[in-house]
């Protein structure tokens, strides 16, 4: 079955450290890719998205992600994290379901803890 | 403008009961999707409605059902509740069908606890 994988389940960083969260998907067709963030007690918010064009996508709060088609990857990066970046991060891809229709499919999430 | 509103925020039910959750999308949005979020399984797609029609369904048993009204508000129903149904149920709305090529906006969710 088509899926989205986030290999880092829990990441602990110190402030000012650089961040890279991995996301891989299994789908050979055209994909729409997203990163969502869920801050403690808050709803899911869109960080950035890729539909086409420049594979390096800039998002909010200094986040960026690079789509590498040959690696089926869409890794999230930030050069210098802050304590306020502590949250859970979800990669999501629009994939075909067993029904043949496409739906937004999420990875299992990565919990980022930034220590002051 | 107002975001996606889910009610109630918290629910406690006993096994065997049924429950109905409500979602009001952002004004003008016609697509509503539902997700189940658990620590072990992450976010799993339940179903998606567009203009009162179910357009997509995830791999959940028939105890999970939903509907959408003409004003785009959606309800999700779970019958014969099981302990494993305890989860955060999230609703997302978007302007276009099937959240394709557009951003999905999420509500804060309904925390369902089955005892």
């Amino acid at each position: 079955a088509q899926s989205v994988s986030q290999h880092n389940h829990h990441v602990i960083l110190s402030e000012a450290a650089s961040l890279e969260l991995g996301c891989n998907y299994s789908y050979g067709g055209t994909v729409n890719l997203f990163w969502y963030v869920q801050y403690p007690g808050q709803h899911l918010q869109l960080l950035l998205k890729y539909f086409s064009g420049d594979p390096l996508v800039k998002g909010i709060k200094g986040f960026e992600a690079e789509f590498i088609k040959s690696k089926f990857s869409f890794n999230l990066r930030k050069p210098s994290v802050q304590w306020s970046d502590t949250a859970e991060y979800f990669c999501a891809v629009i994939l075909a379901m067993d029904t043949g229709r496409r739906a937004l499919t999420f990875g299992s999430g990565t919990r980022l803890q930034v220590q002051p | 403008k107002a975001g996606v509103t889910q009610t109630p925020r918290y629910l406690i039910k006993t096994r065997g009961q049924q429950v109905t959750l409500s979602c009001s999308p952002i004004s003008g949005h016609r697509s509503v999707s539902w997700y189940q979020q658990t620590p072990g399984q992450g976010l799993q797609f339940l179903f998606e409605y567009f203009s009162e029609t179910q357009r997509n369904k995830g791999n959940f048993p028939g105890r999970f059902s939903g509907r959408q009204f003409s004003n785009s508000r959606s309800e999700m129903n779970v019958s014969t509740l099981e302990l494993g149904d305890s989860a955060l149920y999230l609703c997302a709305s978007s302007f276009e069908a099937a959240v394709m090529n557009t951003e999905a906006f999420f509500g804060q969710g309904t925390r369902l606890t089955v005892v």
Side-chain angles (χ1 to χ4, degrees):
Chain A
Q2 295 166 355
S3 62
V4 183
S5 299
Q6 292 181 246
H7 303 296
N8 313 104
H9 298 295
H10 191 191
V11 174
I12 302 173
L13 295 173
S14 298
E15 276 193 312
S18 64
L19 169 73
E20 181 161 2
L21 301 181
C23 173
N24 290 89
Y25 61 92
S26 59
Y27 181 63
T30 302
V31 290
N32 296 335
L33 302 154
F34 307 80
W35 275 96
Y36 281 85
V37 61
Q38 190 173 33
Y39 297 103
Q42 295 189 28
H43 60 279
L44 276 164
Q45 302 171 43
L46 182 70
L47 269 180
L48 46 79
K49 60 187 176 185
Y50 172 81
F51 293 147
S52 63
D54 188 345
L56 185 60
V57 181
K58 304 283 188 187
I60 61 171
K61 305 185 180 184
F63 286 91
E64 64 178 32
E66 186 175 11
F67 170 52
I68 302 179
K69 188 174 181 179
S70 61
K71 295 185 178 180
F72 300 92
S73 70
F74 190 55
N75 292 354
L76 181 70
R77 300 195 293 247
K78 186 171 183 178
S80 174
V81 295
Q82 301 173 309
W83 177 80
S84 58
D85 292 325
T86 295
E88 189 152 17
Y89 292 81
F90 294 90
C91 178
V93 184
I94 293 180
L95 295 176
M97 310 287 292
D98 290 342
T99 57
R101 294 189 180 273
R102 300 171 73 192
L104 190 60
T105 304
F106 285 83
S108 55
T110 297
R111 187 172 299 278
L112 172 65
Q113 185 179 344
V114 180
Q115 297 176 330
Chain B
K1 55 185 175 181
V4 179
T5 305
Q6 291 187 247
T7 57
R9 291 290 310 279
Y10 303 92
L11 264 178
I12 300 176
K13 292 284 190 178
T14 56
R15 276 181 299 176
Q17 285 187 312
Q18 68 92 27
V19 67
T20 299
L21 312 181
S22 180
C23 172
S24 293
I26 291 172
S27 177
H29 285 191
R30 295 193 295 165
S31 173
V32 174
S33 298
W34 288 89
Y35 293 83
Q36 182 195 64
Q37 186 178 15
T38 58
Q41 300 294 322
L43 275 149
Q44 293 192 289
F45 173 75
L46 278 156
F47 27 64
E48 180 236 336
Y49 288 88
F50 182 80
S51 293
E52 302 179 66
T53 302
Q54 187 181 86
R55 289 180 55 87
N56 210 344
K57 192 175 189 302
N59 295 323
F60 277 81
R63 298 185 298 107
F64 291 81
S65 63
R67 58 178 175 168
Q68 187 180 34
F69 302 96
S70 59
N71 62 358
S72 294
R73 189 177 70 85
S74 178
E75 287 183 346
M76 190 193 98
N77 186 283
V78 187
S79 62
T80 320
L81 283 165
E82 301 177 359
L83 295 178
D85 297 333
S86 294
L88 181 66
Y89 290 88
L90 294 172
C91 168
S93 81
S94 65
F95 183 71
E96 297 292 338
V99 305
M100 290 174 63
N101 296 330
T102 185
E103 177 180 351
F105 294 84
F106 284 82
Q108 288 200 284
T110 295
R111 173 79 59 189
L112 171 65
T113 302
V114 182
V115 297

